Amino acid sequence: MITRLTNSPAEAAAFIKGGGIVAFPTETVYGLGADVFNDAAIRKVFDAKQRPADNPLIAHVAEAGDINLLSERISPAAQRLVDAFFPGPLTLVLPKSASVPLLATAGLNTIGIRMPEHPTARAFLRSCAVPIVAPSANLSGRPSPTTWQAVFEDLYGRVDCILQGDPTEIGIESTVVDCSVDPPAVLRKGAVSIEQLREVVPAITDWNADAAGLISRSPGMRHRHYTPAAEVIILERQQQPEGTERDAYIGLSPRLGTFKLMRVCSTPEEYASSLFEFFRECDRAGIVKIFCESVKEEGIGAALMDRIRRASGTG
Ligand code: TXA
Ligand code: MG
């Protein structure tokens, strides 16, 4: 398959209308989109990514009003979260409508719904005129793509079109909150922190604290994720790594030592937005070990540490 590269949301949307699959930028990571109501197109998404069929997809909408196309049961708590955080880096899991294909939800009776804020994503979704299911646009198991070049690296020749945009601002995936249970529960940490969520719905629970419960609620969490080829090692703040010229370091504090690649970030936000691309850079450079400095688990730091732990095999 020849993959078309374009800057035009309308041109990209035409591929969706023809039953194709399109990678597009959002403020979190790039997604790989298909028409939520087109089973054949959804199958292409799973094939292109080599994604396990038991991992459900997130449906993306252009307007909050479009949520009704996917779910008829929006609890008062879910509505408050929509009012507070849509558009943005938050996915809500809601009971699905009968019209939503089980292929999209991996057989679940719920559907994840997100309304991105990114202007190119919004323009693309509006042109599609239908909700778009989109997992992150990486090969399954690889770090999520934060640039169109990373999408190209994983999926060129496997997708119909790549809608090119700038590197994504947030750089890690959306917070996922299950609103089909009462009280709602955080299934995946992201840029919207649990502290922010609790300002709106104080009773929200953190399923990340309960691994067995989490896996039963969020099938995606059982799969290996966010893994570069190199070994990822978490480094406490005062710890001095024994790096060699085949190793790499990323963190907030400068380090002494001989690293082939070193990335010192000035804020946790910058660290989060750099992490996945740094992992890819390390793979391209044949790095053996990647030392990642740990950060305080507040705000984006909680989501960042979640991704680093998963990458290190300790999450
Ligand atoms: O930021 C994001 O969320 C990006 C962009 C493209 O929007 N998308 C993304 O999709 O990260 P994906 O497929 O890589 O991750 C979706 C996560 C998985 O952990 C999946 O298990 C969970 O959301 N999920 C989706 N639908 C669900 C459902 N109905 N119930 C429970 N978990 C669900
Ligand atoms: Mg993913």
Side-chain angles (χ1 to χ4, degrees), residues 135-152:
S136 49
N138 51 285
L139 281 174
S140 205
R142 295 215 67 208
S144 291
T146 57
T147 64
W148 70 259
Q149 290 91 342
V151 177
F152 187 97

PDB file of all heavy atoms in Angstrom, residues 135-152:
ATOM      1  N   PRO A 135      -6.550   4.068  18.136  1.00  0.00           N
ATOM      2  CA  PRO A 135      -5.501   3.763  19.104  1.00  0.00           C
ATOM      3  C   PRO A 135      -4.293   4.629  18.770  1.00  0.00           C
ATOM      4  O   PRO A 135      -4.277   5.300  17.732  1.00  0.00           O
ATOM      5  CB  PRO A 135      -5.203   2.293  18.841  1.00  0.00           C
ATOM      6  CG  PRO A 135      -5.473   2.118  17.377  1.00  0.00           C
ATOM      7  CD  PRO A 135      -6.591   3.095  17.039  1.00  0.00           C
ATOM      8  N   SER A 136      -3.277   4.631  19.615  1.00  0.00           N
ATOM      9  CA  SER A 136      -2.039   5.329  19.273  1.00  0.00           C
ATOM     10  C   SER A 136      -1.465   4.718  17.987  1.00  0.00           C
ATOM     11  O   SER A 136      -1.584   3.517  17.756  1.00  0.00           O
ATOM     12  CB  SER A 136      -1.052   5.220  20.428  1.00  0.00           C
ATOM     13  OG  SER A 136      -0.933   3.881  20.863  1.00  0.00           O
ATOM     14  N   ALA A 137      -0.838   5.558  17.144  1.00  0.00           N
ATOM     15  CA  ALA A 137      -0.448   5.148  15.792  1.00  0.00           C
ATOM     16  C   ALA A 137       0.957   4.530  15.755  1.00  0.00           C
ATOM     17  O   ALA A 137       1.786   4.890  14.917  1.00  0.00           O
ATOM     18  CB  ALA A 137      -0.539   6.329  14.838  1.00  0.00           C
ATOM     19  N   ASN A 138       1.213   3.602  16.667  1.00  0.00           N
ATOM     20  CA  ASN A 138       2.489   2.890  16.707  1.00  0.00           C
ATOM     21  C   ASN A 138       2.229   1.416  16.442  1.00  0.00           C
ATOM     22  O   ASN A 138       1.094   0.944  16.573  1.00  0.00           O
ATOM     23  CB  ASN A 138       3.113   3.031  18.105  1.00  0.00           C
ATOM     24  CG  ASN A 138       2.122   2.668  19.199  1.00  0.00           C
ATOM     25  OD1 ASN A 138       1.218   3.448  19.497  1.00  0.00           O
ATOM     26  ND2 ASN A 138       2.254   1.479  19.782  1.00  0.00           N
ATOM     27  N   LEU A 139       3.262   0.665  16.067  1.00  0.00           N
ATOM     28  CA  LEU A 139       3.144  -0.791  16.074  1.00  0.00           C
ATOM     29  C   LEU A 139       2.928  -1.204  17.520  1.00  0.00           C
ATOM     30  O   LEU A 139       3.522  -0.630  18.436  1.00  0.00           O
ATOM     31  CB  LEU A 139       4.415  -1.440  15.526  1.00  0.00           C
ATOM     32  CG  LEU A 139       4.574  -1.448  14.001  1.00  0.00           C
ATOM     33  CD1 LEU A 139       5.949  -2.001  13.627  1.00  0.00           C
ATOM     34  CD2 LEU A 139       3.476  -2.257  13.325  1.00  0.00           C
ATOM     35  N   SER A 140       2.090  -2.184  17.741  1.00  0.00           N
ATOM     36  CA  SER A 140       1.746  -2.622  19.086  1.00  0.00           C
ATOM     37  C   SER A 140       3.015  -2.941  19.876  1.00  0.00           C
ATOM     38  O   SER A 140       3.903  -3.622  19.372  1.00  0.00           O
ATOM     39  CB  SER A 140       0.860  -3.854  18.986  1.00  0.00           C
ATOM     40  OG  SER A 140       0.074  -3.959  20.120  1.00  0.00           O
ATOM     41  N   GLY A 141       3.094  -2.415  21.101  1.00  0.00           N
ATOM     42  CA  GLY A 141       4.252  -2.686  21.950  1.00  0.00           C
ATOM     43  C   GLY A 141       5.352  -1.636  21.853  1.00  0.00           C
ATOM     44  O   GLY A 141       6.193  -1.538  22.732  1.00  0.00           O
ATOM     45  N   ARG A 142       5.359  -0.833  20.794  1.00  0.00           N
ATOM     46  CA  ARG A 142       6.383   0.206  20.654  1.00  0.00           C
ATOM     47  C   ARG A 142       5.919   1.487  21.351  1.00  0.00           C
ATOM     48  O   ARG A 142       4.731   1.651  21.636  1.00  0.00           O
ATOM     49  CB  ARG A 142       6.627   0.502  19.172  1.00  0.00           C
ATOM     50  CG  ARG A 142       7.219  -0.686  18.413  1.00  0.00           C
ATOM     51  CD  ARG A 142       8.201  -0.218  17.343  1.00  0.00           C
ATOM     52  NE  ARG A 142       9.381   0.379  17.933  1.00  0.00           N
ATOM     53  CZ  ARG A 142      10.145   1.317  17.352  1.00  0.00           C
ATOM     54  NH1 ARG A 142       9.831   1.785  16.175  1.00  0.00           N
ATOM     55  NH2 ARG A 142      11.204   1.793  17.955  1.00  0.00           N
ATOM     56  N   PRO A 143       6.838   2.437  21.614  1.00  0.00           N
ATOM     57  CA  PRO A 143       6.411   3.687  22.242  1.00  0.00           C
ATOM     58  C   PRO A 143       5.401   4.429  21.362  1.00  0.00           C
ATOM     59  O   PRO A 143       5.509   4.390  20.131  1.00  0.00           O
ATOM     60  CB  PRO A 143       7.709   4.492  22.357  1.00  0.00           C
ATOM     61  CG  PRO A 143       8.821   3.486  22.265  1.00  0.00           C
ATOM     62  CD  PRO A 143       8.301   2.386  21.396  1.00  0.00           C
ATOM     63  N   SER A 144       4.428   5.089  21.974  1.00  0.00           N
ATOM     64  CA  SER A 144       3.448   5.865  21.208  1.00  0.00           C
ATOM     65  C   SER A 144       4.164   6.950  20.408  1.00  0.00           C
ATOM     66  O   SER A 144       5.157   7.515  20.870  1.00  0.00           O
ATOM     67  CB  SER A 144       2.442   6.520  22.155  1.00  0.00           C
ATOM     68  OG  SER A 144       1.629   5.545  22.750  1.00  0.00           O
ATOM     69  N   PRO A 145       3.663   7.279  19.195  1.00  0.00           N
ATOM     70  CA  PRO A 145       4.335   8.267  18.348  1.00  0.00           C
ATOM     71  C   PRO A 145       3.957   9.700  18.714  1.00  0.00           C
ATOM     72  O   PRO A 145       2.784  10.029  18.847  1.00  0.00           O
ATOM     73  CB  PRO A 145       3.832   7.926  16.947  1.00  0.00           C
ATOM     74  CG  PRO A 145       2.509   7.282  17.164  1.00  0.00           C
ATOM     75  CD  PRO A 145       2.514   6.660  18.522  1.00  0.00           C
ATOM     76  N   THR A 146       4.962  10.526  18.862  1.00  0.00           N
ATOM     77  CA  THR A 146       4.716  11.941  19.183  1.00  0.00           C
ATOM     78  C   THR A 146       5.083  12.846  18.001  1.00  0.00           C
ATOM     79  O   THR A 146       4.954  14.055  18.093  1.00  0.00           O
ATOM     80  CB  THR A 146       5.526  12.358  20.425  1.00  0.00           C
ATOM     81  OG1 THR A 146       6.913  12.109  20.171  1.00  0.00           O
ATOM     82  CG2 THR A 146       5.093  11.564  21.651  1.00  0.00           C
ATOM     83  N   THR A 147       5.544  12.244  16.901  1.00  0.00           N
ATOM     84  CA  THR A 147       5.832  13.000  15.672  1.00  0.00           C
ATOM     85  C   THR A 147       5.282  12.202  14.488  1.00  0.00           C
ATOM     86  O   THR A 147       5.102  10.972  14.595  1.00  0.00           O
ATOM     87  CB  THR A 147       7.349  13.158  15.441  1.00  0.00           C
ATOM     88  OG1 THR A 147       7.924  11.856  15.238  1.00  0.00           O
ATOM     89  CG2 THR A 147       8.034  13.823  16.633  1.00  0.00           C
ATOM     90  N   TRP A 148       5.023  12.902  13.370  1.00  0.00           N
ATOM     91  CA  TRP A 148       4.546  12.129  12.207  1.00  0.00           C
ATOM     92  C   TRP A 148       5.653  11.228  11.674  1.00  0.00           C
ATOM     93  O   TRP A 148       5.385  10.168  11.113  1.00  0.00           O
ATOM     94  CB  TRP A 148       3.937  13.036  11.138  1.00  0.00           C
ATOM     95  CG  TRP A 148       4.889  13.920  10.376  1.00  0.00           C
ATOM     96  CD1 TRP A 148       5.127  15.239  10.575  1.00  0.00           C
ATOM     97  CD2 TRP A 148       5.714  13.523   9.260  1.00  0.00           C
ATOM     98  NE1 TRP A 148       6.055  15.701   9.681  1.00  0.00           N
ATOM     99  CE2 TRP A 148       6.428  14.671   8.856  1.00  0.00           C
ATOM    100  CE3 TRP A 148       5.928  12.323   8.564  1.00  0.00           C
ATOM    101  CZ2 TRP A 148       7.341  14.660   7.793  1.00  0.00           C
ATOM    102  CZ3 TRP A 148       6.840  12.302   7.513  1.00  0.00           C
ATOM    103  CH2 TRP A 148       7.528  13.466   7.136  1.00  0.00           C
ATOM    104  N   GLN A 149       6.908  11.633  11.914  1.00  0.00           N
ATOM    105  CA  GLN A 149       8.016  10.788  11.456  1.00  0.00           C
ATOM    106  C   GLN A 149       8.037   9.455  12.206  1.00  0.00           C
ATOM    107  O   GLN A 149       8.405   8.427  11.631  1.00  0.00           O
ATOM    108  CB  GLN A 149       9.357  11.514  11.640  1.00  0.00           C
ATOM    109  CG  GLN A 149       9.556  12.696  10.700  1.00  0.00           C
ATOM    110  CD  GLN A 149       9.055  14.027  11.273  1.00  0.00           C
ATOM    111  OE1 GLN A 149       8.265  14.062  12.222  1.00  0.00           O
ATOM    112  NE2 GLN A 149       9.513  15.125  10.697  1.00  0.00           N
ATOM    113  N   ALA A 150       7.653   9.480  13.477  1.00  0.00           N
ATOM    114  CA  ALA A 150       7.594   8.226  14.253  1.00  0.00           C
ATOM    115  C   ALA A 150       6.478   7.328  13.709  1.00  0.00           C
ATOM    116  O   ALA A 150       6.635   6.102  13.644  1.00  0.00           O
ATOM    117  CB  ALA A 150       7.368   8.524  15.732  1.00  0.00           C
ATOM    118  N   VAL A 151       5.361   7.936  13.296  1.00  0.00           N
ATOM    119  CA  VAL A 151       4.285   7.167  12.664  1.00  0.00           C
ATOM    120  C   VAL A 151       4.806   6.533  11.375  1.00  0.00           C
ATOM    121  O   VAL A 151       4.603   5.338  11.108  1.00  0.00           O
ATOM    122  CB  VAL A 151       3.068   8.076  12.326  1.00  0.00           C
ATOM    123  CG1 VAL A 151       1.994   7.260  11.608  1.00  0.00           C
ATOM    124  CG2 VAL A 151       2.499   8.737  13.583  1.00  0.00           C
ATOM    125  N   PHE A 152       5.503   7.336  10.595  1.00  0.00           N
ATOM    126  CA  PHE A 152       6.083   6.888   9.327  1.00  0.00           C
ATOM    127  C   PHE A 152       6.986   5.676   9.558  1.00  0.00           C
ATOM    128  O   PHE A 152       6.904   4.665   8.862  1.00  0.00           O
ATOM    129  CB  PHE A 152       6.871   8.061   8.728  1.00  0.00           C
ATOM    130  CG  PHE A 152       7.405   7.841   7.350  1.00  0.00           C
ATOM    131  CD1 PHE A 152       6.725   8.311   6.229  1.00  0.00           C
ATOM    132  CD2 PHE A 152       8.615   7.181   7.156  1.00  0.00           C
ATOM    133  CE1 PHE A 152       7.222   8.113   4.951  1.00  0.00           C
ATOM    134  CE2 PHE A 152       9.126   6.981   5.882  1.00  0.00           C
ATOM    135  CZ  PHE A 152       8.430   7.442   4.775  1.00  0.00           C
TER     136      PHE A 152
END
